[in-house]
């Protein structure tokens, strides 16, 4: 998934940034998301060097999974999700399963002979955070938006991410702090397969107070029809900000001002909104409008005829650009701005 900070970082170091869709979960992949992500990236003014998909490498990833089994680095497990959940769970009774048996069952998984949830392929490693043997492959009988019904086993993010980075010769894989605990599996997996291993760097996530930025929680709000969609103006997604009138320049300036740090940062919505005010102050010409008009007659109007008045489009900046309006005895003001006093 591409982020503006990563593209900026690559550009600052005369490098390139790829846009890769980690489309490893067919249940959550939709064509509109693929189109929407690219649309937002280009709206921000960036053009990825190359656009790729994790599904481009499904055949290679399957072959590497078999290599892990042959090297006694992975096994087929039949524990359910609850048994594998949490830190330091009980070791799987199938952890020492014979290589030939795991290879055979993994082939059955690939051929659709095992029901969804009855088997997974797990890697033999304990992560930094204490989680043991993360899942590499699971069974999902779901239609994939690019590969159709070709596959019924799909790799997890933990298995796919570093291997796709290696295939694409990525030099630096930048991700937010929540992926720091997965760095051990990132390096372990590349070394276990004896392939090129990129460098993973983590940076702090930027949160906005008094709003929701979690994809999972926003998806729940949409499902419950609390918000209309990802571009609902009440949200702080990029598509919502665009719909509210934020400019790419304002968002890019905001990201550059915040910089990249390892600390978790929370900002008030007003901080981001101040950047759009600065941006629009220099780009949006001023106009006058009366939404709820109240007619007034000036009894001591000092002129015999209507007067044409010039008004600057950018007050305080470039007053050479002006527009004109007519000032006369009869004017219209906002009804809320008028109060009659005795």
């Amino acid at each position: 998934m591409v982020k503006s900070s990563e593209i900026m970082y690559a550009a600052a170091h005369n490098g390139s940034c790829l846009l890769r869709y980690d489309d490893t979960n067919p249940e959550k992949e939709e064509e509109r998301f693929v189109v929407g992500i690219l649309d937002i990236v280009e709206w921000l003014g960036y053009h990825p060097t190359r656009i790729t998909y994790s599904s481009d490498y499904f055949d290679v990833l399957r072959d590497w999974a078999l290599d892990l089994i042959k090297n006694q680095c992975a096994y087929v497990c039949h524990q359910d999700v609850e048994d594998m959940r949490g830190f330091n769970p009980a070791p799987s009774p199938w952890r020492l399963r014979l290589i030939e048996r795991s290879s055979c069952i993994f082939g059955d998984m690939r051929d659709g002979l095992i029901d969804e949830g009855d088997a997974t392929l797990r890697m033999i490693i304990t992560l930094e955070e204490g989680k043991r043997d993360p899942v590499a492959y699971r069974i999902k009988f779901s239609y994939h938006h690019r590969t159709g019904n070709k596959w019924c086993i799909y790799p997890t993010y933990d298995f796919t991410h570093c291997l796709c980075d290696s295939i694409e010769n990525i030099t630096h894989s930048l991700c937010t702090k929540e992926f720091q605990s997965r760095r051990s599996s990132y390096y372990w997996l590349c070394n276990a397969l004896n392939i090129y291993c990129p460098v993973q760097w983590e940076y702090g996530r930027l949160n906005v107070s008094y709003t929701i930025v979690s994809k999972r929680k926003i998806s729940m709000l949409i499902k419950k029809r609390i918000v209309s969609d990802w571009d609902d103006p009440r949200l702080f997604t990029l598509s919502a900000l665009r719909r509210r009138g934020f400019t790419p320049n304002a968002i890019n300036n905001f990201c550059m001002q915040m910089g990249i740090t390892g600390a978790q940062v929370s900002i008030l919505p007003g901080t981001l909104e101040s950047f759009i005010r600065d941006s629009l102050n220099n780009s949006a010409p001023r106009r006058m409008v009366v939404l709820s008009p109240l007619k007034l007659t000036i009894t001591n109007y000092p002129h015999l005829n209507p007067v044409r008045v010039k008004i600057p489009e950018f007050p305080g900046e470039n007053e050479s650009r002006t527009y004109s309006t007519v000032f006369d005895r009869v004017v219209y003001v906002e009804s809320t701005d008028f109060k009659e006093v005795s």
Side-chain angles (χ1 to χ4, degrees), residues 13 44 55 86 146 155 167 170 173 175 184 210-211 213 259 277 297 311 323 332:
H13 291 80
L44 287 172
S55 56
R146 295 190 73 243
I167 293 171
I170 300 298
S173 179
C175 53
S184 55
Y210 310 115
T211 188
V213 295
R277 284 196 295 270
T297 301
I311 302 174
Y323 68 97
Y332 293 87

Side-chain angles (χ1 to χ4, degrees), residues 317-330:
E317 294 294 331
N318 183 5
E319 297 192 3
S320 61
R321 293 180 59 181
T322 62
Y323 68 97
S324 62
T325 187
V326 175
F327 181 54
D328 200 357
R329 184 179 302 276
V330 175

Side-chain angles (χ1 to χ4, degrees), residues 9-16:
Y9 186 87
H13 291 80
N14 198 28
S16 59

Side-chain angles (χ1 to χ4, degrees), residues 28-192:
K28 295 184 178 181
E29 308 298 339
E30 294 183 32
E31 189 66 28
R32 71 186 184 102
F33 293 140
V34 174
V35 174
I37 290 173
L38 181 59
D39 177 48
I40 279 293
V41 168
E42 292 182 339
W43 173 71
L44 287 172
Y46 303 115
H47 301 281
T49 306
R50 190 153 51 98
I51 299 174
T52 64
Y53 299 81
S54 294
S55 56
D56 292 339
Y57 313 116
F58 276 177
D59 289 287
V60 178
L61 297 177
R62 186 271 317 274
D63 292 340
W64 275 339
L66 289 171
D67 288 341
L68 285 180
I69 296 173
K70 293 175 183 177
N71 295 333
Q72 294 184 312
C73 295
Y75 63 95
V76 173
C77 177
H78 301 286
Q79 285 185 304
D80 58 28
V81 175
E82 292 302 321
D83 291 332
M84 294 187 287
R85 194 186 302 277
F87 298 95
N88 297 313
S92 169
W94 293 277
R95 203 170 196 256
L96 301 179
R97 173 173 255 161
L98 293 176
I99 295 174
E100 293 77 10
R101 185 60 180 155
S102 281
S103 297
C104 180
I105 300 177
F106 186 67
D108 290 341
M109 291 169 59
R110 168 66 183 87
D111 295 335
L113 302 178
I114 300 179
D115 291 336
E116 189 170 326
D118 284 354
T120 57
L121 181 69
R122 299 176 67 181
M123 298 175 282
I124 303 177
I125 178 181
T126 300
L127 302 179
E128 292 177 8
E129 59 183 7
K131 289 186 177 181
R132 183 180 295 160
D133 298 355
V135 173
Y137 267 89
R138 71 278 204 213
I139 303 170
K140 286 186 178 292
F141 294 103
S142 301
Y143 180 85
H144 191 279
H145 74 105
R146 295 190 73 243
T147 61
N149 293 315
K150 178 182 177 181
W151 298 91
C152 60
I153 57 170
Y154 291 93
T156 61
Y157 178 86
D158 285 334
F159 182 79
T160 307
H161 181 56
C162 62
L163 299 184
C164 289
D165 284 350
S166 179
I167 293 171
E168 295 176 350
N169 291 314
I170 300 298
T171 57
H172 296 79
S173 179
L174 276 64
C175 53
T176 47
K177 275 287 187 178
E178 59 260 36
F179 293 98
Q180 183 172 350
S181 61
R182 294 170 174 173
R183 190 198 301 168
S184 55
S185 66
Y186 187 102
Y187 293 145
W188 175 87
L189 189 48
C190 290
N191 292 328

Side-chain angles (χ1 to χ4, degrees), residues 280-311:
L280 293 178
N281 187 52
N282 298 321
S283 62
R286 306 305 196 272
R287 293 292 184 269
M288 291 192 301
V289 62
V290 179
L291 299 177
S292 180
L294 178 67
K295 182 179 178 181
L296 297 179
T297 301
I298 303 174
T299 56
N300 59 342
Y301 181 71
H303 306 285
L304 296 176
N305 300 304
V307 178
R308 186 164 293 276
V309 180
K310 288 186 177 182
I311 302 174

